[in-house]
Amino acid sequence: MTITVNGKSLELEKPINLNELLVVAKADQPEYVTVERNGEFVDHKGFVSTFVADGDTIEFLYFMGGGAA
Amino acid sequence: MSSLTNEQLERYSRHIILKQVGGKGQEKLLNGKVLVIGTGGLGSPAAMYLAAAGVGTIGLVDYDVVDLSNLQRQIIHKTSSVGKNKVDSGRATIEALNPDVKVHTYQELVRADNILDIIRDQDYDFLIDATDNFPAKFLINDACVMAKKPFSHAGIIRFQGQTMTYVPGQGPCYRCVFPEMPPKDAVPTCREAGIIGVMGGVIGTLQATEAIKYILGIGDLLTGYLLTYDALTMQFRKIKIPRNPNCPVCGDHPTVTKLVDYEQPACDLRKKG
Amino acid sequence: MADGMKTDANVDITDVVCPMTFVKVKVALEDLNDGQVLGVHLNDGEPIQNVPRSLKDEGHKVLSVRKAADDTYDLIVQKNGLAQ
């Protein structure tokens, strides 16, 4: 199956949950990243029970502070 | 009858020629009021471009003084302003650039007990979050949602930056996307991780662009979108973000109903994996 | 002005150069309603070459152009006249 993560294609052999996807896709800050699946936010509590499906679009949204100092 | 002087017609001629601006649009900008919170990497270019555009009232908020390490990117300041208050240095640059602009300075940190007073001081039309820390970012978001003020959020680090725009009733707020504060050491600061100087210029100018478009009432704002930029790959991505009905601030059942000074929780020393 | 056609307002742009010429005309037109008519007094050269075209690009209708004895021009333009 093929999904899109942050605009890039990712091939997967079988459906995995979002916790596993964070590892496979090498997400930064996996404890604090905001995950959007097909346009909807998924709460961290739901990662373990949310499995990706063929054609899913996943976005990892990261905290960025930076700015002044 | 146009209120623009001959000098203003000339100064803003490149705006006035634009179909979406005209003399009437320029008058809107001259009557516009934008508050820039933070006169650093993001705030510097944002404030300068707002001033160049003729936004008539600009507020600058910063408690800090100019430091030599700022000058690699905080282009509103100069070598001769090292040691001076950032808001005074910023005001001097703006006044030299455009005498049409009235600058109001607030030499303080934004806190729960002063931010609404600052916003109301000139009844600013639009706010720019140009701060560098999450307690301030969360506070600014909450204040804007509660005071029903539009604002531009942004963050930058290393070679990356991102920005989104909140307009009351028109899409998500910052905390729809990031509901809870990250622990203190979870996210690096520019001091720790570094920042390519130009990043503030790109993202800060985008923030000024949103303010200008809002005042003019033109174009599509980044409401409901997070715009991300990677300077190494030169890639911009515009990611659609929904309003979160469970958002603690702007959701259907908000749990945050008054302003608080956020403390960043200390990092738990938990094992990874 | 010298045309016999009544104008709702007039602007003299012989004292400025491009693009201020178009800027002044544009700002003068903003004070009129659609369909109202502006008289413009302009110089030969860049102004007469550029201003009528810029006005047309913005949807205004140039109703007439007359050359005066001193090589200036008088132009009459209708605000948003092309939007019929």
Side-chain angles (χ1 to χ4, degrees):
Chain A
M1 51 182 270
T2 310
I3 64 171
T4 308
V5 180
N6 293 341
K8 297 200 172 94
S9 277
L10 183 67
E11 293 286 334
L12 295 169
E13 280 171 17
K14 59 177 172 66
I16 53 175
N17 69 26
L18 290 181
N19 279 329
E20 292 162 330
L21 180 64
L22 290 174
V23 176
V24 166
K26 299 194 178 63
D28 290 333
Q29 305 169 8
E31 292 117 83
Y32 315 112
V33 64
T34 290
V35 177
E36 203 182 295
R37 175 174 176 247
N38 298 329
E40 305 277 337
F41 295 121
V42 183
D43 196 274
H44 272 249
K45 294 196 278 289
F47 285 4
V48 68
S49 56
T50 306
F51 286 80
V52 293
D54 190 38
D56 271 1
T57 299
I58 308 284
E59 298 286 349
F60 297 151
L61 305 179
Y62 297 109
F63 276 108
M64 261 183 227
Chain B
M1 191 64 201
S2 170
S3 63
L4 299 172
T5 63
N6 280 337
E7 190 174 322
Q8 287 174 327
L9 288 179
E10 183 151 10
R11 178 184 282 270
Y12 305 115
S13 55
R14 287 6 182 224
H15 264 179
I16 296 169
I17 291 170
L18 289 168
K19 208 170 202 163
Q20 295 90 334
V21 184
K24 295 264 182 277
Q26 190 59 53
E27 284 172 20
K28 281 187 192 169
L29 289 171
L30 287 162
N31 290 325
K33 297 174 276 192
V34 179
L35 182 67
V36 182
I37 307 179
T39 49
L42 291 166
S44 287
M48 288 172 79
Y49 269 109
L50 292 172
V55 171
T57 302
I58 295 176
L60 301 178
V61 186
D62 205 308
Y63 76 100
D64 213 350
V65 296
V66 182
D67 176 81
L68 185 62
S69 69
N70 296 154
L71 299 181
Q72 163 253 17
R73 65 199 177 286
Q74 300 181 17
I75 56 172
I76 205 171
H77 308 301
K78 304 176 176 30
T79 305
S80 57
S81 34
V82 171
K84 292 200 177 123
N85 292 328
K86 280 186 159 179
V87 290
D88 293 332
S89 163
R91 178 173 53 200
T93 299
I94 289 174
E95 287 174 350
L97 172 55
N98 190 349
D100 286 344
V101 179
K102 181 90 179 69
V103 181
H104 296 266
T105 57
Y106 309 91
Q107 206 204 325
E108 42 199 316
L109 281 171
V110 285
R111 295 181 314 271
D113 66 4
N114 70 2
I115 188 170
L116 290 177
D117 291 333
I118 294 173
I119 294 173
R120 287 173 189 146
D121 183 60
Q122 298 298 317
D123 193 23
Y124 291 98
D125 301 313
F126 192 95
L127 277 73
I128 291 182
D129 170 9
T131 63
D132 64 348
N133 65 88
F134 294 107
K137 285 174 158 10
F138 276 60
L139 176 66
I140 290 166
N141 179 79
D142 296 357
C144 287
V145 173
M146 289 178 199
K148 297 192 180 10
K149 288 287 182 186
F151 82 102
S152 164
H153 157 84
I156 53 177
I157 191 81
R158 299 191 189 93
F159 291 91
Q160 298 190 303
Q162 63 190 23
T163 181
M164 61 174 276
T165 304
Y166 168 73
V167 173
Q170 287 182 34
C173 76
Y174 174 61
R175 292 183 69 180
C176 287
V177 188
F178 301 106
E180 299 301 330
M181 185 102 55
K184 235 186 172 93
D185 299 313
V187 182
T189 62
C190 291
R191 193 194 306 264
E192 293 154 1
I195 177 89
I196 193 82
V198 286
M199 187 54 64
V202 175
I203 303 292
T205 303
L206 289 173
Q207 293 187 281
T209 307
E210 291 287 271
I212 287 166
K213 283 157 60 187
Y214 179 81
I215 292 169
L216 290 172
I218 63 173
D220 300 322
L221 298 178
L222 289 170
T223 47
Y225 290 96
L226 184 69
L227 184 69
T228 67
Y229 169 55
D230 185 320
L232 288 176
T233 58
M234 281 311 209
Q235 188 155 39
F236 279 94
R237 296 192 66 232
K238 200 171 157 186
I239 303 163
K240 215 155 180 228
I241 45 177
R243 183 181 156 270
N244 188 347
N246 300 320
C247 175
V249 188
C250 80
D252 297 337
H253 306 286
T255 50
V256 175
T257 50
K258 63 187 180 81
L259 296 179
V260 291
D261 289 308
Y262 289 99
E263 293 281 334
Q264 241 181 316
C267 194
D268 294 346
L269 292 173
R270 56 190 142 131
K271 291 200 182 90
K272 306 249 185 234
Chain C
M1 273 145 52
D3 203 335
M5 198 186 294
K6 181 188 161 297
T7 57
D8 297 298
N10 294 291
V11 65
D12 184 331
I13 59 173
T14 56
D15 60 338
V16 292
V17 295
C18 293
M20 290 306 300
T21 44
F22 179 58
V23 168
K24 282 183 82 169
V25 175
K26 185 169 173 171
V27 170
L29 278 169
E30 282 179 3
D31 288 329
L32 300 183
N33 295 319
D34 287 355
Q36 285 191 306
V37 160
L38 177 74
V40 182
H41 190 62
L42 66 165
N43 283 326
D44 199 357
E46 265 199 297
I48 194 61
Q49 285 163 22
N50 293 339
V51 172
R53 191 183 58 231
S54 300
L55 287 169
K56 184 169 165 243
D57 287 345
E58 290 239 328
H60 308 301
K61 189 171 182 181
V62 175
L63 298 176
S64 72
V65 179
R66 294 282 153 93
K67 190 166 183 172
D70 61 354
D71 285 343
T72 61
Y73 287 81
D74 287 298
L75 170 167
I76 299 195
V77 59
Q78 183 183 38
K79 180 169 178 174
N80 285 327
L82 293 176
Q84 310 292 2

